[in-house]
Amino acid sequence: MNTPYGIDFPSLREQVAPEEWEARRNLAACYRLMDRYGMTDMIYNHITAQIPGKPGSLLINLYGLLYKEITASNLVEIDLDGNVLRKPDTDYGINRSGYVIHGCIHRARPDVHCVIHTHTRAGMAVSAMRSGLLPITQTASRFHGHIAYHEFEGPAIDLSEQERLVRDLGSHNAMILRNHGLLVCGASIAQAFNLMYQLEMSCRAQVDAMAGGLENVAVPGNEVLERAAHLYQPGTRRPYGELEWHAMLRLLDAEPGGYPSYAA
């Protein structure tokens, strides 16, 4: 039998529309990939995705599960105000910070279908730097002129912060939460994951490079950076993340067991 804090949940595959199941499957895979690439913080942080055909309804993780325990069936359906619409039979609930940060972005940005927030070591380090993210690598050049900043206001539990989060994000798809962590959003789960992966790699490279002293760090010229950033934008060549996503799913499918499949 399932305990109040167990992780053995029945499948929802036959109880939801095919479009919702696909969204659940992709979002669960995103959680697993975040774990696979070292972008987790125990049971904390969130990834949210809109449910196709259900305006104003989001999927979010149960608060208490590891990212490697997330499956398509144990994701929680909430509205933009954090009200639980559907969740597994468990004592696990949701974390208030999840909908305080994510809900306002989904409400304000209809072009956004997925939001990812992290507290990685490198992300927190760069968020504490006065310089913010430096465009010192090809990967980081993607964010030149395309990243926002939000000042630290303490743990995100105050609804009044939502207005400032939305204001500071503006039309950008990536934001550094000062003294806190990283946030990205995307038109799909695949695009959001790719953006977070690249932002995280940019932060890791910056922390490594600055270990040798800021005077040894070279920044390319502005003209080069503007061209590079332009080439990375979704409408320029291709929406980054979509092509890569199939390879990412194959990676997960090939990994040995030990935890329930993300597609369960």
Side-chain angles (χ1 to χ4, degrees):
M1 294 181 63
N2 191 23
T3 66
Y5 293 108
I7 61 169
D8 184 17
F9 303 109
S11 174
L12 289 180
R13 184 165 190 169
E14 302 303 321
Q15 300 180 41
V16 298
E19 297 80 8
E20 178 174 339
W21 181 253
E22 185 65 12
R24 285 175 169 272
R25 181 175 174 272
N26 282 324
L27 183 56
C30 189
Y31 275 101
R32 299 300 185 93
L33 288 166
M34 295 293 289
D35 176 78
R36 173 68 173 73
Y37 285 101
M39 293 186 278
T40 62
D41 183 17
M42 292 176 59
I43 63 170
Y44 308 112
N45 297 149
H46 317 279
I47 312 171
T48 53
Q50 290 188 4
I51 301 178
K54 292 184 177 181
S57 290
L58 308 175
L59 294 171
I60 194 171
N61 55 314
L62 283 169
Y63 188 32
L65 299 190
L66 300 169
Y67 275 21
K68 64 178 63 178
E69 294 174 327
I70 302 298
T71 68
S73 295
N74 66 33
L75 289 163
V76 182
E77 179 182 352
I78 63 172
D79 65 18
L80 297 178
D81 296 315
N83 298 304
V84 174
L85 305 178
R86 181 175 197 164
K87 82 176 186 72
D89 182 14
T90 175
D91 285 356
Y92 289 123
I94 63 169
N95 187 341
R96 178 178 175 85
S97 294
Y99 65 85
V100 170
I101 294 175
H102 294 238
C104 63
I105 295 173
H106 283 285
R107 175 179 278 119
R109 293 276 303 274
D111 60 310
V112 167
H113 291 272
C114 180
V115 178
I116 304 176
H117 170 47
T118 64
H119 292 165
T120 63
R121 181 174 177 176
M124 289 190 293
V126 172
S127 79
M129 295 179 182
R130 292 188 179 92
S131 66
L133 183 68
L134 296 172
I136 58 175
T137 60
Q138 175 175 283
T139 303
S141 71
R142 175 177 184 171
F143 301 96
H144 179 67
H146 294 278
I147 193 162
Y149 291 86
H150 175 70
E151 293 300 323
F152 183 57
E153 299 187 25
I157 59 174
D158 187 350
L159 292 177
S160 70
E161 187 177 357
Q162 291 183 318
E163 180 181 354
R164 294 180 291 279
L165 279 163
V166 168
R167 178 200 66 200
D168 292 341
L169 178 63
S171 61
H172 293 300
N173 287 330
M175 183 160 68
I176 291 179
L177 307 176
R178 294 281 193 184
N179 308 100
H180 185 171
L182 308 177
L183 183 143
V184 304
C185 51
S188 69
I189 294 168
Q191 290 181 48
F193 173 75
N194 184 270
L195 193 61
M196 179 57 82
Y197 175 85
Q198 298 293 340
L199 182 56
E200 172 67 17
M201 292 303 108
S202 298
C203 290
R204 293 183 189 183
Q206 179 168 322
V207 171
D208 289 346
M210 292 183 71
L214 185 59
E215 67 277 4
N216 292 320
V217 176
V219 179
N222 192 63
E223 183 177 346
V224 172
L225 290 173
E226 287 184 356
R227 180 175 182 275
H230 172 70
L231 291 174
Y232 276 112
Q233 299 316 300
T236 304
R237 291 188 290 175
R238 64 182 177 89
Y240 283 92
E242 300 295 343
L243 176 64
E244 296 87 340
W245 191 246
H246 303 287
M248 295 295 96
L249 294 183
R250 291 194 299 271
L251 176 68
L252 291 177
D253 290 338
E255 290 189 334
Y259 288 90
S261 168
Y262 69 92

